[in-house]
Amino acid sequence: MGRPYLCLAALVPCLVAACATESDAPAISEDAVLAAESAPIVFEPCGMPPGAPPLAAECANIDVPLDWSSPGGRRINFFVKRIRGSAPGPHKQLWLLQGGPGGSGQAFDFDAPLFAGIDPSFDLYIPDHRGTGRSSLLRCAGLSSPPIDVNACRDDLLRTWGSDGLAAFSTTSAARDVGSVIARTREPGQEVHVYGVSYGTYLAQRYLQVFPRQPTSVTLDGVCQAGLCSLLKYAYWTDHVAQQFMRECAADEVCGAKLGPDPNARMKEALAIADAGTCAGLAGVTGNQVRALMVTFSRMFGYRTFVPPLAYRILRCDAGDVVALQNFAAIVLTPPTAPPMTSPTAPPASTEPPRPFSQALSYNIAFSEMMETPAITRPELEALMSESVFAQYSPAMHDMFDAWPKYDHDEYVGRYPTTDVPVLLLNGTLDAATPIEFAEEVAAHYTRPHQTFVSLPRAVHGTLRGSPTTDGKQCGLELFRQFVTAPTRPLDTSCASRIVPHDFGSNMADAAERWFGTRDLWENPVTPQRKTPARDPELEAELARINDEPAPFF
């Protein structure tokens, strides 16, 4: 599942940190795509990656056109994993589209029990987006290890694929891969449900544009669209949501009393101390690492309440705080010593790429079709980020954007599906990767019957796991369960009112003891004791979801 500890170095660039034209190529019809490939698809038994649940799986390596407008030309591999449901009788298909761009489907292997538990008649289909994982992984010299050299990567990719071949690694091509395989695996009358998270919602919408009648339902979780999910503005939006969280701290009785009416101003002061290195509790930790840590924790529902107390302790930095901060840093920055759990059915390492994410594909799609048009200029972005707290302006992303060989926009980019298919849109109000403002704009384009947008208070990115309720459930998951069970039935959205409120101290004694060595998040009634770093499996699982893929990641 990747690095199960906080690799701050990988996060710093995205925190300190589309001029494509309309294509003249003719549209490829849905019927043309379906007619291009019709051979039966053979699935064979395969395993799960190390650490994933030991479920029985089967996999197919499917030969598809690199360019769907030229099915007789160059071919690439499209990998799909299938996990059969346990129920007798007819089964339904549930397709899981991962975020990115650049993410493979491998992360869903770890969440398979979550989806299988929704309905035992679901057969899960987990594709690797073309250019990722086992689907003709797009890789190049220059991005495999620091320092990043985008020019070297560009030249390597163009030598291997040419400009037309590289342009075929697009969202529209990926949508055609999915629709074609659905048509070739679907039984007559079989229900097909599609779930996309983050960038996967962008892919799911493109799929709906190309195949507006094919699915039974589509769910968009953490909503993304061209012009909104812009890598150039990623740091700005991350900071925007983190500041919103701190404003909610000000409204809380405990947090407001500690940090006053403007916690963002106090956070700025704390980060200035981190930059200066004047608090002994942060010895060996840079200011940029602290920024990355604060932003990462603000994205995690169960851990973000540590962010204000961390600022408070950095500001005060008395003897007890020094020990508490040292304890905290040791846990977060120390990799686990225990070996990862291995699934008894895991396939040989050679069949599960150690790095299924493709940074090259990420840049190719994000820079070519997901930027605002025209792209924000360097002076405009610097001005936009002038009031940032957690992030700092950097020209690095612009440098990469300018160097990348961007492909032309096709007829779908920046537009929305025309479809009567039921659609559920879910988004948290404190989602730092796809902020609620994105979902509100996209939702205005889904107004037909059984197309529903639900805003989830305080929820984070990926609402199926990021919207816990006071009765021990996940609101996003409950809404998704209702929807795929009966897509045309009105949703009971009452769980949104039961999402767990912020807790800045009253029930956090055990967590404070584990992290700080004292049973109070804020104060030191007893002098904290230095602790040996201990593994926190829950934190490791949360961090793995963020750190498995290089940020920024939609």
Side-chain angles (χ1 to χ4, degrees):
M1 189 59 181
R3 303 178 298 279
Y5 63 98
L6 182 55
C7 185
L8 293 172
L11 291 172
V12 169
C14 81
L15 301 175
V16 299
C19 296
T21 59
E22 192 77 21
S23 173
D24 294 326
I28 307 168
S29 71
E30 175 183 1
D31 291 340
V33 172
L34 298 181
E37 305 292 324
S38 59
I41 294 173
V42 178
F43 284 84
E44 298 180 344
C46 60
M48 302 288 279
L55 301 176
E58 48 191 5
C59 299
N61 289 288
I62 305 160
D63 190 52
V64 298
L66 171 64
D67 181 352
W68 277 96
S69 67
S70 301
R74 190 171 181 177
R75 314 284 289 187
I76 60 172
N77 188 62
F78 180 45
F79 174 90
V80 179
K81 178 173 286 186
R82 180 168 66 189
I83 300 173
R84 294 279 197 178
S86 59
H91 280 204
K92 310 168 187 176
Q93 293 191 11
L94 175 58
W95 283 74
L96 306 176
L97 306 183
Q98 183 54 276
S104 74
Q106 193 180 73
F108 280 126
D109 289 346
F110 298 84
D111 283 333
L114 177 78
F115 291 98
I118 291 172
D119 184 340
S121 71
F122 273 148
D123 291 337
L124 307 183
Y125 286 78
I126 305 174
D128 281 358
H129 189 296
R130 63 163 56 200
T132 75
R134 292 143 290 189
S135 291
S136 297
L137 180 65
L138 198 64
R139 51 186 157 191
C140 59
L143 297 185
S144 57
S145 60
I148 290 176
D149 186 342
V150 173
N151 292 322
C153 176
R154 174 198 62 207
D155 296 343
D156 191 14
L157 290 172
L158 291 176
R159 279 193 300 270
T160 303
W161 297 98
S163 58
D164 289 343
L166 187 58
F169 287 92
S170 67
T171 303
T172 298
S173 296
R176 289 173 174 142
D177 296 339
V178 171
S180 172
V181 175
I182 288 175
R184 294 164 66 185
T185 57
R186 186 181 203 171
E187 299 291 337
Q190 185 179 31
E191 291 187 18
V192 174
H193 301 268
V194 176
Y195 169 85
V197 61
S198 203
Y199 163 77
T201 70
Y202 182 68
L203 172 57
Q205 291 177 85
R206 184 63 49 79
Y207 159 75
L208 262 183
Q209 288 177 283
V210 181
F211 301 96
R213 298 174 299 277
Q214 189 180 66
T216 306
S217 78
V218 170
T219 299
L220 311 178
D221 185 6
V223 183
C224 202
Q225 184 53 269
L228 299 175
C229 290
S230 165
L231 288 192
L232 296 178
K233 290 184 178 177
Y234 187 90
Y236 164 76
W237 282 110
T238 298
D239 181 89
H240 170 82
V241 176
Q243 287 199 50
Q244 176 58 35
F245 169 68
M246 293 300 288
R247 284 190 286 272
E248 295 185 16
C249 156
D252 179 82
E253 181 178 0
V254 173
C255 198
K258 299 295 185 182
L259 292 178
D262 191 354
N264 281 307
R266 299 291 281 158
M267 177 62 74
K268 269 191 171 181
E269 296 172 19
L271 291 172
I273 291 172
D275 286 333
T278 54
C279 177
L282 299 178
V285 182
T286 69
N288 280 338
Q289 284 180 311
V290 174
R291 283 182 177 82
L293 185 153
M294 296 289 196
V295 169
T296 300
F297 270 55
S298 73
R299 294 175 61 180
M300 297 158 52
F301 198 105
Y303 294 88
R304 62 188 175 194
T305 50
F306 284 95
V307 171
L310 282 168
Y312 182 77
R313 288 180 176 277
I314 292 170
L315 288 164
R316 186 174 56 195
C317 198
D318 65 17
D321 295 322
V322 168
V323 175
L325 291 168
Q326 289 172 340
N327 287 337
F328 185 87
I331 293 174
V332 173
L333 299 176
T334 303
T337 55
M341 178 177 65
T342 301
S343 163
T345 60
S350 61
T351 67
E352 290 287 343
R355 193 176 181 82
F357 187 92
S358 171
Q359 193 68 65
L361 182 78
S362 178
Y363 289 153
N364 196 51
I365 290 177
F367 289 154
S368 296
E369 63 176 277
M370 297 183 72
M371 300 297 102
E372 60 285 333
T373 303
I376 189 170
T377 66
R378 295 166 194 254
E380 288 170 342
L381 181 59
E382 187 171 13
L384 185 66
M385 296 188 65
S386 62
E387 300 300 321
S388 295
V389 174
F390 296 87
Q392 296 175 325
Y393 168 74
S394 167
M397 194 63 75
H398 262 104
D399 292 343
M400 291 187 282
F401 173 74
D402 290 343
W404 197 263
K406 296 172 279 292
Y407 55 79
D408 291 345
H409 286 181
D410 62 29
E411 68 274 16
Y412 300 113
V413 174
R415 297 180 173 91
Y416 289 84
T418 300
T419 179
D420 291 321
V421 167
V423 178
L424 174 62
L425 300 91
L426 300 170
N427 220 97
T429 62
L430 288 178
D431 182 336
T434 53
I436 189 64
E437 291 89 343
F438 295 4
E440 291 169 344
E441 181 170 332
V442 172
H445 298 270
Y446 292 92
T447 58
R448 297 194 178 194
H450 318 303
Q451 297 180 350
T452 306
F453 168 48
V454 185
S455 172
L456 300 180
R458 297 175 297 283
V460 296
H461 194 53
T463 66
L464 301 198
R465 288 188 179 274
S467 55
T469 58
T470 53
D471 54 357
K473 299 178 180 179
Q474 292 282 346
C475 186
L477 182 61
E478 291 305 304
L479 293 170
F480 178 61
R481 187 193 312 274
Q482 290 181 49
F483 181 64
V484 294
T485 300
T488 61
R489 184 185 302 164
L491 290 174
D492 176 3
T493 62
S494 60
C495 64
S497 66
R498 299 192 298 275
I499 293 176
V500 173
H502 299 306
D503 185 348
F504 291 102
S506 59
N507 296 304
M508 299 293 285
D510 290 343
E513 171 68 28
R514 184 170 71 248
W515 289 82
F516 291 142
T518 176
R519 294 189 64 78
D520 191 304
L521 282 179
W522 306 87
E523 306 299 339
N524 301 310
V526 177
T527 302
Q529 300 298 308
R530 285 291 280 127
K531 298 167 66 71
T532 301
R535 291 188 67 196
D536 185 329
E538 182 182 359
L539 174 67
E540 291 173 9
E542 290 289 336
L543 290 177
R545 297 178 193 282
I546 297 173
N547 290 341
D548 190 55
E549 322 295 2
F553 184 75
F554 295 112

